[in-house]
């Protein structure tokens, strides 16, 4: 019997009472290992009320004391990282070492949030006029919510709640229904770190829970990460209901390979970033753009034997380079994209569709695929595949290589591999994409910078974490004060100016 998961509301685990459940699979075996309750609007409302009643005291607590909770939470994450990584790996399917990376990248946002007293400091102008001072302060919004995808079940919730809660907000996390156990455990650890009940709540669910968030008047801001159509929907609905919304979407990141690139390094970089986590990363590098046929031929010659040697295995196999994908439905979708690519006329050089894992034949495994001669009119180029599939699009020169990611519907990340500084600098300056790597295949900015793509990879203006995250989760108040030292002024009927 699959165990039943719960929600985490007002400091405790509570059973779902909607009567609806989702299946949580073990991607290694294909078995249902747990049932996750899918909340209805009434259950979501209970979490909003818990978060509302926690808000007053939490937002009034001085930022240094809030930071101390973050420091203790960071320690608890470090102490529990093995348990969390195994829990994550068992539901997501990414290998344990990569699961630790997922937690570590979230932990780094918590480290950033430990500096919140400094980040919340306002501005001050002394003597803006006679006896007049002006100062600004950043204040929290109230109850805010985060809706997260399956592919980073630790990092992305922490991107959001780490910054939001440190700023003084209270938070509702609606994790992916595919791998909800880690966010639930994070909420427990956060309480153990000293957070009062109701400051961080986790409500599991699907569209019903998301719609309840988007329409609840007491939720002031929504942070979303997931696929682009849903991101656009969340942005439109959330803003129509008066909320501040940041909604990150899908991706199709290109890696430009210039003829002078260090080919051995390029091959290592593509292996890790196209096939790591079975390609289920929004900052994966699923498109290689070698410049010139000679570069393309060299790239393929060097890549092919290495791809054929990749070790696919169960997620707890320490030797495995990547594990199964998240669900049977997703596996089918990836295989259908590969079939479509063949039908569209791309050359399938390596076909991993028939891969089967001995002893785990019902697991959601897929071998690596490599396509050559992919062209921009193909559906499989235009859309995100989100699997272990690398597509090569040959460009004749630098200008064409620059145009490809710039004109693609997605604009999350891009990388250029070259030894030439001028080329790299020009590329970084002109490319129409939000995050750029120069000889860095997965250019995910660190926690004290900010994360966000362009075009259909992000809806809204403010990025995740870093100073932008603090801006997203606070509103600014500006106070103009006058202490006239005994002098009175006459009534004035014109707008005050500083002559
Ligand atoms: P998804 O869009 O299916 O789900 C994301 C969230 O939306 C989940 O919490 C889910 O429950 C909810 N949801 C699903 N369908 C919904 C609907 N019809 N109405 C309202 N809510 C709904 O995404 P996923 O498959 O979990 O994650 C993979 C996607 O996320 C990929 O497209 C990937 O590129 C993207 N992603 C983007 C970033 C980024 O920062 N740009 C980061 C990670 C993942």
């Amino acid at each position: 019997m699959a165990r039943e998961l719960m929600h985490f509301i007002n400091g405790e685990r509570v059973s779902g009472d909607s009567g609806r459940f989702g299946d949580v699979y073990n991607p290694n075996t294909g078995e249902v290992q747990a049932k996750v309750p899918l909340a209805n609007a009434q259950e979501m409302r209970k979490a909003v009320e818990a978060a509302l009643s926690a808000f007053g005291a939490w937002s009034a607590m001085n930022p240094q004391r809030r930071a101390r909770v973050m420091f203790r939470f960071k320690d608890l994450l470090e102490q529990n990282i093995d348990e969390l990584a195994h829990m994550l790996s068992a539901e997501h399917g990414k290998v344990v070492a990569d699961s630790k990376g997922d937690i570590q990248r979230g932990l780094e946002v918590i480290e950033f949030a430990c500096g919140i007293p400094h980040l919340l400091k306002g501005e001050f102008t002394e003597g803006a006029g006679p006896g007049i001072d002006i100062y600004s302060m950043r204040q929290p919004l109230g109850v805010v919510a985060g809706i997260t995808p399956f592919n980073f079940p630790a990092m992305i919730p922490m991107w959001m709640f780490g910054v939001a809660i440190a700023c003084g907000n209270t938070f509702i996390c609606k994790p992916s229904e595919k791998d909800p156990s880690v966010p639930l455990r994070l909420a427990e650890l956060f309480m153990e770190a000293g957070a009062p009940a109701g400051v961080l709540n986790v409500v599991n669910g699907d569209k019903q829970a998301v719609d309840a968030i988007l329409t609840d008047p007491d939720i002031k801001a929504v942070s979303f990460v997931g696929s682009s159509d849903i991101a656009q929907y969340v942005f439109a609905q959330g803003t129509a209901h008066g909320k501040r919304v940041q909604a990150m979407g899908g991706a199709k990141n290109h890696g430009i390979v210039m003829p002078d690139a260090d080919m051995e390094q390029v091959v290592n970089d593509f292996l890790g970033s196209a096939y790591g986590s079975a390609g289920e990363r929004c900052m994966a590098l699923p498109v290689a753009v070698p410049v010139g046929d000679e570069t393309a031929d060299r790239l393929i010659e060097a890549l092919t034997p290495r791809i054929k040697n990749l070790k696919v295995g169960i997620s707890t196999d320490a030797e495995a380079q990547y594990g199964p994908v998240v669900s049977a439905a997703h596996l089918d979708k990836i295989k259908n994209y590969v079939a479509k690519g063949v039908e569209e006329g791309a050359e399938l050089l390596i076909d991993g569709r028939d891969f089967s894992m001995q002893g785990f034949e019902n697991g959601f495994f897929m071998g690596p695929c490599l396509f050559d001669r992919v062209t921009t009119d193909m559906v499989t180029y235009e859309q995100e595949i989100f699997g272990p599939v690398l597509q090569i699009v040959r460009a004749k020169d630098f200008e064409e290589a620059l145009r490809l990611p710039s004109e693609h519907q997605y604009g999350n990340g891009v990388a250029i591999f070259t030894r030439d500084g001028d080329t790299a600098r020009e590329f970084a300056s002109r490319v129409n994409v939000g995050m750029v790597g120069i000889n860095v295949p997965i250019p995910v900015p660190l926690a004290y910078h900010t994360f966000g793509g362009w075009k259909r990879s992000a809806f809204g203006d403010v990025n995740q974490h870093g100073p932008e995250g603090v801006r997203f989760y606070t509103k600014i108040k500006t106070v103009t004060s006058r202490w006239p030292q005994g002098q009175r002024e006459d009534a004035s009927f014109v707008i005050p100016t500083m002559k």
Side-chain angles (χ1 to χ4, degrees):
M1 259 282 281
R3 75 209 142 83
E4 202 174 299
L5 302 178
M6 298 171 114
H7 306 298
F8 190 85
I9 300 175
N10 207 20
E12 54 188 24
R13 289 205 180 215
V14 294
S15 303
D17 56 19
S18 70
R20 293 193 312 125
F21 289 88
D23 290 332
V24 179
Y25 288 92
N26 175 343
N28 292 311
T29 62
E31 285 161 3
V32 175
Q33 57 173 323
K35 295 273 179 191
V36 60
L38 303 174
N40 56 27
Q42 291 75 28
E43 290 171 290
M44 185 59 75
R45 187 61 206 169
K46 278 189 200 150
V48 175
E49 279 164 12
L52 268 178
S53 58
F55 176 69
W58 182 251
S59 57
M61 184 185 281
N62 71 58
Q64 212 161 347
R65 286 184 59 200
R66 292 201 299 264
R68 285 186 194 133
V69 174
M70 294 294 166
F71 273 112
R72 284 193 291 270
F73 181 52
K74 167 187 138 42
D75 284 347
L76 287 172
L77 288 171
E78 281 164 351
Q79 285 162 28
N80 290 278
I81 195 160
D82 286 333
E83 173 215 328
L84 288 165
H86 278 90
M87 187 184 277
L88 195 160
S89 166
E91 289 183 354
H92 178 287
K94 65 173 86 170
V95 296
V96 173
D98 196 30
S99 301
K100 280 193 186 162
D102 186 333
I103 298 157
Q104 176 63 29
R105 286 308 289 251
L107 191 155
E108 288 167 12
V109 175
I110 303 302
E111 286 174 337
F112 168 76
C114 289
I116 202 68
H118 174 67
L119 293 160
L120 287 178
K121 283 192 301 199
E123 295 173 326
F124 188 88
T125 304
E126 185 192 18
I132 294 177
D133 301 324
I134 302 176
Y135 61 95
S136 65
M137 54 180 104
R138 294 208 159 266
Q139 295 192 332
L141 307 177
V143 178
V144 298
I147 301 161
T148 58
F150 82 84
N151 70 323
F152 279 100
M155 176 183 83
I156 294 180
M158 286 193 270
W159 276 4
M160 299 173 179
F161 78 70
V163 180
I165 291 177
C167 288
N169 301 284
T170 53
F171 199 88
I172 297 170
C173 177
K174 204 303 283 169
S176 167
E177 60 275 46
K178 293 180 186 130
D179 47 11
S181 289
V182 167
L184 285 166
R185 185 75 188 114
L186 292 179
E188 282 179 346
L189 291 173
F190 199 60
M191 289 279 300
E192 216 177 303
V199 168
L200 174 58
N201 306 276
V202 178
V203 182
N204 290 301
D206 55 6
K207 180 170 165 47
Q208 265 191 38
V210 171
D211 286 342
I213 288 173
L214 297 176
T215 52
D216 193 305
D218 287 319
I219 296 179
K220 300 300 177 197
V222 177
S223 199
F224 174 91
V225 178
S227 51
S228 289
D229 288 350
I230 315 285
Q232 190 167 15
Y233 168 79
V234 166
F235 184 76
Q237 285 297 308
T239 50
H241 285 85
K243 300 178 200 313
R244 194 177 276 192
V245 183
Q246 53 177 187
M248 276 57 194
K252 187 94 179 189
N253 307 321
H254 296 52
I256 314 303
V257 185
M258 296 304 293
D260 67 345
D262 173 346
M263 197 53 90
E264 220 170 295
Q265 184 62 55
V266 167
V267 167
N268 286 342
D269 287 344
F270 269 106
L271 287 174
S273 52
Y275 300 106
S277 195
E280 293 171 318
R281 289 186 187 134
C282 68
M283 288 296 273
L285 209 47
V287 181
V289 184
V291 173
D293 277 331
E294 193 265 337
T295 313
D297 294 341
R298 274 195 296 129
L299 176 67
I300 290 167
E301 195 189 326
L303 261 177
T304 306
R306 300 284 305 277
I307 296 173
K308 286 184 174 161
N309 261 338
L310 282 174
K311 181 153 170 30
V312 185
I314 58 168
S315 62
T316 48
D317 177 352
E319 304 286 302
Q321 284 155 325
Y322 73 85
V325 301
V326 72
S327 67
H330 190 51
L331 181 63
D332 281 350
K333 190 172 147 194
I334 301 166
K335 287 183 177 174
N336 288 340
Y337 270 126
V338 175
K340 177 81 185 161
V342 173
E343 193 187 303
E344 290 180 311
E347 272 177 39
L348 185 57
L349 302 181
I350 300 175
D351 184 356
R353 284 175 294 175
D354 290 335
F355 178 89
S356 172
M357 187 72 212
Q358 210 184 356
F360 294 86
E361 286 77 8
N362 293 325
F364 310 138
F365 293 93
M366 173 144 174
C369 294
L370 177 67
F371 274 112
D372 187 18
R373 301 195 185 277
V374 173
T375 52
T376 54
D377 54 341
M378 294 180 183
V379 172
T380 48
Y381 170 73
E382 189 54 26
Q383 295 183 4
E384 181 183 39
I385 298 177
F386 222 53
V389 182
L390 176 60
Q391 296 170 292
I392 293 177
V393 183
R394 294 171 177 240
K396 64 176 185 314
D397 54 23
F398 172 78
E399 285 300 324
E400 190 184 350
L402 173 69
R403 223 170 27 245
L404 288 167
S406 296
E407 290 179 357
H408 199 279
Q409 62 164 333
Y410 294 118
N412 218 35
V414 69
I416 184 164
F417 300 94
T418 178
R419 288 181 162 108
D420 185 80
D422 278 354
T423 308
R425 190 168 182 277
E426 185 176 350
F427 181 81
S429 160
R430 289 175 60 200
V431 72
N432 184 22
V433 170
M435 292 175 279
V436 183
I438 297 173
N439 298 315
V440 171
I442 306 183
V444 179
L446 290 181
Y448 44 93
H449 286 267
T450 69
F451 183 103
W454 288 4
K455 298 179 280 182
R456 284 186 60 74
S457 293
F459 300 84
D461 303 316
V462 188
N463 279 359
Q464 302 273 352
H465 63 69
E468 292 259 306
V470 175
R471 271 194 284 282
F472 182 75
Y473 288 119
T474 54
K475 53 194 171 187
I476 200 155
K477 184 182 279 178
T478 309
V479 179
T480 306
S481 71
R482 183 173 66 182
W483 296 99
Q485 297 175 322
Q487 291 170 3
R488 295 220 165 77
E489 288 189 5
D490 294 337
S492 169
F493 299 93
V494 294
I495 180 116
T497 58
M498 287 294 157
K499 288 226 182 75

